[in-house]
Structures are given as C-alpha cells and as structure tokens.
Amino acid sequence: MIRGRYMRRHTNGNNVRSGVSPNHPMFGRYLSTVGFPPAQTVYYNWRHCYQPGHLRWTQPSHLQHRLSSFSTVRHLSSRTPRPPDPYRWTSWSQTGIMAHTQPRRGLQLSAGRMDNSNSKPPKKRKRSSDRRQAGEEYQYSPKRSPPKGSRIPKGSPQWLHNETCTPVPPGKFPSSPKEYPSTPELKRHWEDLSHLCTAAPYVNGGRQKWPFDFSVMSYNILSQDLLRDNTYLYRHCHPPVLDWRHRYPNIIKELEKHSADIMCLQEVQEDHYTQQIKPSLESLGYHCEYKWRTGLKPDGCAVVFRRERFSLVSCHPVEYFQRGIPLLDRDNVGLIVLLRPIDPHCSLTNICVANTHLLYNPRRGDIKLAQLAMLLAEISRVAQLPDSKVCPVLLCGDFNSVPWSPLYQFIRDSRLEYDGLTIGKVSGQEENPRGQRILSVPVWPRSLGISQQCQYESQTTDSDLRDLEQPKPDGFTKASIEHCLKLTSAYSHYLKESGQPEITTCHSRTAITVDYIFYSAALGDVMVQAVFFFVYPECSVPPEKGLQLLGRLSLVGEDELQKVNGLPNQHNSSDHLPLLTRFRLHPQTEQKHLRVS
Ligand code: KL2
C-alpha cells in the first residue's frame, strides 16, 4: 500500500498537459516602475548579529525523486527601479482605507512570534500515517508533547496555554455540539475596495466592454495527520473540535459559503482529498488539481476553480526536492495552473495561479528561499507571453514567513540583498532564531539551473555542464537575488481599526501572518494607486495588464482570536484562516497601449 502511494506520487511530472494549447494573447506594455529607490530592507541591521554556529537537520533517505528538466531558454528581465512603497504609511494616509495609526514595522508581529532562544530545534516529526487506521481520526495523546528541550515560547499566545480540556478516549467523541462549550463565531467582514478602483466598464470601439470579476481564496486547511503529529500545539482545543468528522463538514461548509472562483488549498491530506474533498468540490462545480508532497508526506497542495468561469490551459506541479542538491532535500511542493477566463463577450488574457506551502523550519531560510526561487522560475516560464512579458499572476499559499521578513520583501520588492543575513532571520517566524549561519553566496547552487534572477538558465546540455566548471558569472558572486514578477500583497497585514497585526495562523505557540495572496497589480489598482497617480496623474486609460483588487474578507487580530479560544475552534476548523479576495481583470483593447517608459 505504501508502495502504491509512493509510486503514484512521483508520476506527476512538471509537464504541460497534453492536448491543450496555451493561449498567448498579445498585450500592451506592463506597468514599468520608475523613479524610486528600492524599499529599505530591515535585515541590514542584523548583520552584526552573526555568531559562529551551525545547524544540521537530518532527513530520512528518500526514494526516487525526479530531477526537473529545464528545457526552455529563458530571458532575463532587466531590473527597473522600484516605485514608492505602497506599504509606506504616508502613501496611505489619504486613502481612508487604513487605520489612522501608523503601523509599527518589523517588530510589530513580535508579540505573536516565537522566541525559542533557549529551546532546542524541534525534533523532526514522526510520521503518523502508519498509525492511521479507519475510524481513528483524532486521538488526543497526552503522551505526545512539545519537542524535547523546548518550552513555551515567550512570544506565543499565553491565553492558549491552559490545558483545561479533558482528554477524550479515542472513539468516544461527543456526538452533539451541546456536549462542549459553545464558542462565539469569529466576525469577519467584507472590505469593499471597489470604490477606490479607477476602472469601471468602459466603451472601446463603440462597444461596451465589461470587466471580468472573480474571487480567490488561499487556505491552509490543516491536515489531520499533521494535527495528530503536533498535538501539543492544540492542547487548548476541546478534543471534539479536532476530530476530522467535525472538521471536514466545517471546512467544506466554509468553502461553500465563500464559493471562491479559484481556491488554493494547502495541507490537503491525500486520502481526504481523494475520498472526500475532491468529490465534494466537483459536485459543487469545481475542477480540482492536486500535487502530493514528495517523500511519503501525507498532504499536498490543491488548486481548484469553477468550471463555469475558467478552463484549464495547463497544469505544472513543482517538486522542491532535488536529488543531488543537499539544500533542496525537503518535501515541500508548489502547484501552478494556467487558466483561461470564460467570457462570451470579450477576449481575456490567461491568468497564472500558483499555490505553495514552503518549508516550516523557522531556521532554514536558505531552503525557503531556494524553494521560492524554483517556484518563481516555473511561474515565469508558465506565465510567459510571446511579447516576453508575463500574464497576470496570482501567487497564493502558506509561505511560513511573516510580513516584512526578508523572504516577504523578496517577493514584494522583486529583489533581496542578503549580504550578512543569517538563515534564521529570513522568515521572521522567530524573534531570536538560533540559526546563526549566514546565507551563503549564492543561496542555491548553479547546478540547480536557476539564475539569481529566478529564471531557468538555458537548456542543460553537455556544454552547459562543462560551463558549470567555469568561473561563476557575476550573478553568482553577488549577495543579491531578483525575480521578474511584480507582485503586491492583497492584505495590508495590520488591522484598519486597531493597527494590530493581522493573524492568519494561530495555535498555542504562535499567532502570526504566514499566508498571502500576491498578485500582479494593474495600473490603478488600489494597492498601487499611490504609485500610479504619482507617475501618471493625467492617465485615465483603463488598465490592461494585471489585476485590480476589488475587496477582501477582513482578517482578525490576536484579541478577536482569544475570544474564540484560538484556532481551531468549534466553527473555524483549521489553525489558519482562509484569505479571500476579489479581483477585476480587464478585457484586452485594441487601443494604443500606455507608454510608460
Ligand atoms: O506553520 V504550518 O504548520 O504553515 O501551519 O507548516 C507546517 C507546520 C506544517 C507542514 O510541515 O506542519 C507544521 N512545530 C510546529 N509545527 C510544525 C512542525 C513543528 N516542529 N513541523 C511541522 N509543522
């Protein structure tokens, strides 16, 4: 049985689905950003923190992992200076959609971050799939405890450390919700940003063109196997709410309630996906794609979309495990789909949707960056248009990194200068990380076939392999990495009302944001309007490339989560909250494209 699971997992190559040809509509020019210096990175202040140290995590030996084949010649895009930072408070004070308090940057999430300065690295989880039996959907295991040597982290939510719940023996779950205390429902409201959008339906060539609006969700649904492997994180929960038989209907209800047009799900356990989630979502009108993690891990990433709204152009699973590259020895994955919007009235560009769940280990920012580089290289290839630009991109998932961390900044600023940055600081998950090793230059080896601009290097041939022996090209000696996508986060990461940090994941050891929906913002998008109006004040032409954020389901802060006993709870059945956004895509026009440079 294990063998069967294993074999299936590795048959899913990074190949374009046969029988469907990519659509390559021509585009106008992408907003090229001009005139401003790069956003300042916080890690510069950390370069004095280096102490000699090393951390080696052992990984069980893996069976067969395919090497990805890099077969296309990719074009490196030249760097352009960055626009004003849309997250800068001054850019926002006039918009009326943000709190009237300036958010604290950098340390603002410290309250929720882990401080493990005196704790040992968590031990590698033991797999529990072999323990899984029919009917044993949750077993409260008082024996299973935090990794040895660890203590309650200083910054973790103290209100979740009361182990007040009485363990319930396996198979003895209360059948009625009345048998455990009822918790209030978390209040989340829709933040409508459409009035701040510059774009309305418009007339082109005598015909009215309507935009294509659609919603996107990113949600880590918490795999039951991982829940069971880390029960110490959920001691604050009433055991019945951790039972998959309670969680599954809740999760499906939540997905159905929001009925997003595109959903990027993480921690989707394979057996639950096959037997329950996929059939349920298909019956609700969704097409489902799935990528199982490598190395016998129980879960994976799913991208699902409404069949009536999109058709699948191609699907591209991404395995971060690379045999022969010691840095890439973890089993995390990504999944990219190229979708064609279905609209009877006008032609629309394809959109590229990427979903991932990056490595958790807070101390291995080097691995996280290399995984991200692999995903970005594949997105750049998949989203490539004939005019050497890229189609609109949505990058969703659980990045196991906090807002304004170096990894986050790399995504958002398209660039990271990492000279002197320690690997434990990359994700910002821990306030005092123990990983003191400094990121090596380059972060990932050239043998991966991915440039420091996160593009595939030309097709690997014998002569390329000989080239690898040659002196390193410039990119591989500088402590900086780049990518060619221009991505904006759909959330602001702090609450409008209180200025408190938004929380996307919460259990007894942490309450932070690690989930994101990044997107290619169009001209006039609410998150980049400050840039747009500054650069093109006279411009009223509707945006042609990229997406406009119309609204989002508000997140909550630690206070609100405290009132509902944290996550998971009676109503929210994961230790993450779903992110939900609505976007507008404009039809292509024949009119002259904006000259932006
Ligand atoms: O943080 V997560 O939860 O995005 O919600 O991603 C990982 C963690 C997930 C997949 O590896 O499993 C959880 N301590 C706490 N959580 C852990 C640990 C650990 N040592 N290992 C895995 N996870």
Side-chain angles (χ1 to χ4, degrees), residues 122-123 125 147 220 226 230 232-233 267 293 357 360 398 400 505 507 514 575-576:
K123 278 206 298 201
R125 278 188 300 104
N220 178 326
L226 288 173
N230 296 298
Y232 66 93
L233 302 175
E267 284 196 33
R293 291 175 69 189
H357 187 184
Y360 163 75
D398 176 346
N400 272 315
T505 182
H507 50 61
V514 293
D575 57 353
H576 292 245

Side-chain angles (χ1 to χ4, degrees), residues 385-409:
L385 294 169
D387 61 0
S388 80
K389 301 289 195 307
V390 289
C391 73
V393 171
L394 281 156
L395 171 56
C396 304
D398 176 346
F399 293 78
N400 272 315
S401 302
V402 305
W404 300 292
S405 62
L407 185 137
Y408 171 93
Q409 295 203 350

